[in-house]
Amino acid sequence: MNPEAATGRLVLAATPLGNPGDASPRLRDALATADVIAAEDTRRLRNLASSLQVSVVGRIISHYDAVEAARLPGLLDEVRAGRTVVVVTDAGMPVVSDPGYRIVAAAAAADLPVTCLPGPSAVTTALVVSGLPCDRFCFDGFAPRRAGERRRWLETLRTERRAVVFFESPHRLAETLAAAVDVLGAERSGAVCRELTKTHEEIRRGPLAELADWSAAEQVRGEITVVLAGAAPDAPTPEELVGEVADRVAGGERLKDAVAAVAEAAGVSKRELYNAALTSTN
């Protein structure tokens, strides 16, 4: 028996962002064999099953933000009774800015089996098409709605070296990007990813100023994921590099050669570094 079809477990299942062709065979099997499917939107779940030509034989119940807490005890009882409960959201991975966290935490606390069917995620999809360095990144969910909170949030990103991914409503995108220009600077790079994997997918890349102008001029629609480049590291001061120069001199290099090598690598003035090195030895 496949692990996904085994009874007595909670299964978090990623669903396509927009293109049904991205559904995995494991997702199809889970939808066809689950005893209970807890769906953020039951109508969308039925439409997805229909597009995948999957016959759902299990019970389908709604599982969105407003009812998530109330549904929790009953769903855990289903797992305790030896049944498979599959949790799906409208698109992408449950829990990631979608319902699912409460039931996963409760199931783990009750020592009930929890597994995941990996698959589509707007976060990682946006990252890889952004064209920005993303070997290290953080995800900040939805941008704050209120102007003051949004500005305070952007202030925390001034020195964030990792790429930052967040979701935004198309109706607030222009306002958020304009605030990002004010706080993070016009030249900070970013990417706006719209309708990922869908027919009208669009990726806009460039400095924040250009993205802000575009979003203000266009009537942007659809699901939006934004990626911001990490902050550039501050250049070290000559005084901070004196120790490195001293180490090279101690290793046998001439002071002039050590200064030239360190200055070039750090992008600082050779003259300023040389003077700082001389001052430190006096």
Side-chain angles (χ1 to χ4, degrees):
M1 182 179 293
N2 291 333
E4 295 80 9
T7 57
R9 66 178 55 208
L10 179 70
V11 181
L12 288 300
T15 55
L17 301 178
N19 189 329
D22 292 332
S24 70
R26 298 177 69 195
L27 173 63
R28 296 169 188 264
D29 183 62
L31 296 179
T33 60
D35 297 297
V36 180
I37 300 177
E40 184 178 12
D41 186 319
T42 58
R43 183 178 60 180
R44 289 195 182 189
L45 182 277
R46 294 183 190 278
N47 288 341
L48 174 63
S50 176
S51 66
L52 299 179
Q53 298 182 331
V54 170
S55 296
V56 176
V57 297
R59 184 162 57 95
I60 299 175
I61 66 170
S62 58
H63 188 251
Y64 53 94
D65 288 336
V67 302
E68 187 177 7
R71 294 279 193 267
L72 195 154
L75 291 174
L76 293 185
D77 285 343
E78 295 284 357
V79 177
R80 290 190 185 96
R83 300 186 181 92
T84 297
V85 175
V86 173
V87 176
V88 296
T89 56
D90 290 347
M93 183 64 71
V95 182
V96 182
S97 283
D98 274 327
Y101 164 74
R102 290 185 179 90
I103 190 169
V104 173
D111 201 26
L112 296 173
V114 179
T115 189
C116 177
L117 304 186
S121 168
V123 176
T124 52
T125 302
L127 275 169
V128 299
V129 300
S130 69
L132 299 171
C134 59
D135 52 321
R136 298 176 66 241
F137 70 92
C138 58
F139 172 60
D140 264 9
F142 279 89
R145 295 188 178 191
R146 297 181 183 276
E149 294 177 2
R150 180 168 55 238
R151 190 173 187 88
R152 285 191 291 274
W153 165 67
L154 288 168
E155 291 284 357
T156 68
L157 304 182
R158 278 184 182 272
T159 58
E160 175 57 69
R161 300 282 295 277
R162 297 169 295 180
V164 180
V165 188
F166 65 93
F167 298 148
E168 184 53 288
S169 160
H171 309 297
R172 293 190 297 273
L173 178 64
E175 187 178 354
T176 296
L177 290 177
V181 170
D182 289 342
V183 176
L184 304 178
E187 297 304 314
R188 185 89 162 247
S189 295
V192 177
C193 307
R194 187 179 72 85
E195 294 290 85
L196 287 167
T197 78
K198 301 177 185 177
T199 302
H200 300 292
E201 176 180 282
E202 181 179 18
I203 314 297
R204 287 273 178 169
R205 308 175 183 87
L208 284 177
E210 291 183 10
L211 296 176
D213 289 344
W214 162 75
S215 62
E218 297 287 333
Q219 189 175 7
V220 181
R221 298 178 179 177
E223 301 286 337
I224 304 293
T225 306
V226 180
V227 185
L228 300 177
D234 293 331
T237 65
E239 291 72 20
E240 292 172 332
L241 297 171
V242 166
E244 186 175 348
V245 171
D247 289 342
R248 297 178 75 116
V249 171
E253 287 189 46
R254 294 191 308 162
L255 176 61
K256 186 176 181 180
D257 293 337
V259 166
V262 173
E264 181 178 2
V268 300
S269 165
K270 286 191 291 185
R271 177 178 294 179
E272 292 180 5
L273 180 55
Y274 187 81
N275 290 337
L278 288 179
T279 300
S280 71
T281 60
N282 294 333

